[in-house]
Amino acid sequence: MQKSESTSSLGPGGLDLSEAFFKPIHRAAPPSPTKRHTKISVIGAGNVGMAIAQTILTQDLADELVLVDAKPDKLRGEMLDLQHAAAFLPRTKIHASVEYAITAGSDLCIVTAGARQIPGESRLNLLQRNVALFRNIIPPLARFSPDTILLIVSNPVDVLTYVSWKLSGFPSNRVIGSGTNLDSSRFRFLIADHLDVNAQDVQAYIIGEHGDSSVALWSSISVGGVPVLSFLERQQIPYEKQTLENIHKQVIGSAYEVISLKGYTSWAIGYSAANLARSILRNQRKIHPVSVLATGLYGIDGGEVFLSLPAQLGRGGVLGVTNVHLSDEEGQRLRDSANTILEVQSQLGI
């Protein structure tokens, strides 16, 4: 499929009409070669990929947005639909192709592509098909954009982030999984709802696997700078641990509920991925719970494993992992979560 892009060569013989519309001012210098042109490529034009693309456009995060998908007709339709909204959006060039060469020179590649589960198919078989799919996605991305940062959104995100790291040959700081960034947002929302405060004033993390073995860091939750559990203990205000566990279970079940109601999740993960893209490309050095190479951290050993930890993100990708305090129980649950992921990887033979 041929890519489509805006062009000023509309005159006879391809004459560049921009020269007729605009006159140069005197004593002007040519554009600075140091001005950064930001290019983001989104792999997979399904519900999640398009939600991410739309959010990137509305938040003005890129000068150039590229869409890649295996279905040329749908891909062209999605591209045209976004291009037709140009009058309502910040100026961004939008391209699309089934060929990975179009991604060349990307600053950030966001991978959302994944195989759909066949009725009756085991989770392991689905994962094996996704790994096979990634063998055709990650190497060309790395070849055409050797300095890019890979942001993996496809599920199971922790295992596929590890697979992407191995297939790309990139340093670990330039391969990131969306991990529990969205889980933590859901967690903050539920806590804020219980306490009737703004979710932005809640500091709370879900770490570990993006899945059933995730770990809620209750010991470090704060609201408006006040550590919640220690405050309750000092004020001798009783609380039930089961109440806390129920909130965590709601976080784990949130995606399943949305899927049961509308068939898929899209908008929340779209905002989550755009949030990560902003921190990376704008070098904001913000802390996000994302899937990173966790081996050697918090007593995690037994093999190379990616799981979510609070990490500082910037232009170099993962700049570091915060040394957040974990209770003994939280530390053990995190290590158990790591072992859960390692067991899946061992079944895959990777």
Side-chain angles (χ1 to χ4, degrees), residues 188 269 304 324:
R188 292 168 66 188
I269 187 60
E304 294 171 327
V324 65

Side-chain angles (χ1 to χ4, degrees), residues 208 213 215 297-301 307 326-342:
S213 73
V215 182
L297 301 171
Y298 297 103
I300 296 171
D301 54 23
L307 51 71
L326 305 184
S327 68
D328 292 342
E329 181 181 1
E330 289 166 348
Q332 186 56 55
R333 287 189 175 188
L334 178 62
R335 290 185 286 275
D336 291 343
S337 187
N339 289 333
T340 298
I341 299 168
L342 284 167

Side-chain angles (χ1 to χ4, degrees), residues 14 17 38 40 54 58 71 92 94 100 154 183 231 235 239 245 249 260 264 270 293 321 324 341:
L17 293 183
T38 303
I40 299 177
Q54 188 266 352
T58 57
K71 299 177 180 178
T92 304
I94 304 169
Y100 285 91
S154 310
D183 305 65
F231 172 79
Q235 299 296 318
Y239 64 90
E245 292 294 337
K249 287 179 181 177
S260 70
Y264 55 89
L293 182 62
V321 172
V324 65
I341 299 168

Side-chain angles (χ1 to χ4, degrees), residues 139-189:
L141 289 178
R143 183 168 69 253
F144 287 112
S145 300
D147 298 318
T148 195
I149 292 170
L150 295 175
L151 176 57
I152 311 303
V153 179
S154 310
N155 280 316
V157 68
D158 301 297
V159 174
L160 291 178
T161 303
Y162 169 79
V163 169
S164 299
W165 176 52
K166 288 295 186 182
L167 291 173
S168 67
F170 285 179
S172 61
N173 61 295
R174 289 202 283 120
V175 184
I176 305 166
S178 57
T180 58
N181 194 54
L182 177 52
D183 305 65
S184 296
S185 174
R186 291 168 173 150
F187 192 35
R188 292 168 66 188
F189 161 74

Side-chain angles (χ1 to χ4, degrees), residues 34-306:
T34 60
K35 179 172 172 52
R36 176 168 286 279
H37 175 90
T38 303
K39 180 175 180 178
I40 299 177
S41 291
V42 177
I43 315 305
N47 295 317
V48 172
M50 294 314 301
I52 292 172
Q54 188 266 352
T55 311
I56 286 170
L57 288 173
T58 57
Q59 295 189 7
D60 196 15
L61 298 180
D63 300 296
E64 184 177 359
L65 177 66
V66 168
L67 305 174
V68 177
D69 196 273
K71 299 177 180 178
D73 290 343
K74 182 182 189 305
L75 182 61
R76 179 168 174 77
E78 296 286 10
M79 177 193 68
L80 291 173
D81 209 6
L82 290 177
Q83 287 178 337
H84 296 167
F88 317 118
L89 293 169
R91 186 172 185 267
T92 304
K93 289 186 176 181
I94 304 169
H95 309 306
S97 177
V98 296
E99 303 295 336
Y100 285 91
I102 199 173
T103 66
S106 294
D107 297 284
L108 180 67
C109 291
I110 305 175
V111 182
T112 72
R116 291 197 174 190
Q117 192 164 16
I118 300 169
E121 183 180 29
S122 70
R123 184 183 178 204
L124 179 60
N125 192 69
L126 173 64
L127 180 53
Q128 288 172 331
R129 290 200 295 123
N130 273 322
V131 170
L133 182 66
F134 268 50
R135 294 186 193 280
N136 295 320
I137 293 175
I138 303 301
L141 289 178
R143 183 168 69 253
F144 287 112
S145 300
D147 298 318
T148 195
I149 292 170
L150 295 175
L151 176 57
I152 311 303
V153 179
S154 310
N155 280 316
V157 68
D158 301 297
V159 174
L160 291 178
T161 303
Y162 169 79
V163 169
S164 299
W165 176 52
K166 288 295 186 182
L167 291 173
S168 67
F170 285 179
S172 61
N173 61 295
R174 289 202 283 120
V175 184
I176 305 166
S178 57
T180 58
N181 194 54
L182 177 52
D183 305 65
S184 296
S185 174
R186 291 168 173 150
F187 192 35
R188 292 168 66 188
F189 161 74
L190 290 171
I191 293 169
D193 196 45
H194 272 73
L195 299 178
D196 195 22
V197 298
N198 192 310
Q200 293 185 359
D201 292 324
V202 177
Q203 187 82 5
Y205 293 123
I206 299 287
I207 63 171
E209 179 198 20
H210 172 59
D212 295 345
S213 73
S214 64
V215 182
L217 295 188
W218 288 106
S219 66
S220 61
I221 288 176
S222 66
V223 176
V226 179
V228 173
L229 294 192
S230 61
F231 172 79
L232 294 176
E233 290 167 0
R234 284 198 309 273
Q235 299 296 318
Q236 298 183 340
I237 300 173
Y239 64 90
E240 293 186 3
K241 191 172 182 180
Q242 188 57 47
T243 302
L244 308 184
E245 292 294 337
N246 288 341
I247 293 175
H248 184 206
K249 287 179 181 177
Q250 280 184 269
V251 172
I252 294 173
S254 293
Y256 299 120
E257 182 181 10
V258 174
I259 291 169
S260 70
L261 292 170
K262 62 177 273 190
Y264 55 89
T265 61
S266 57
W267 295 117
I269 187 60
Y271 280 105
S272 174
N275 177 244
L276 297 175
R278 176 184 294 275
S279 290
I280 293 167
L281 297 174
R282 301 276 174 86
N283 197 35
Q284 292 194 331
R285 307 179 79 86
K286 288 181 65 176
I287 309 298
H288 296 271
V290 290
S291 193
V292 299
L293 182 62
T295 307
L297 301 171
Y298 297 103
I300 296 171
D301 54 23
E304 294 171 327
V305 63
F306 277 70

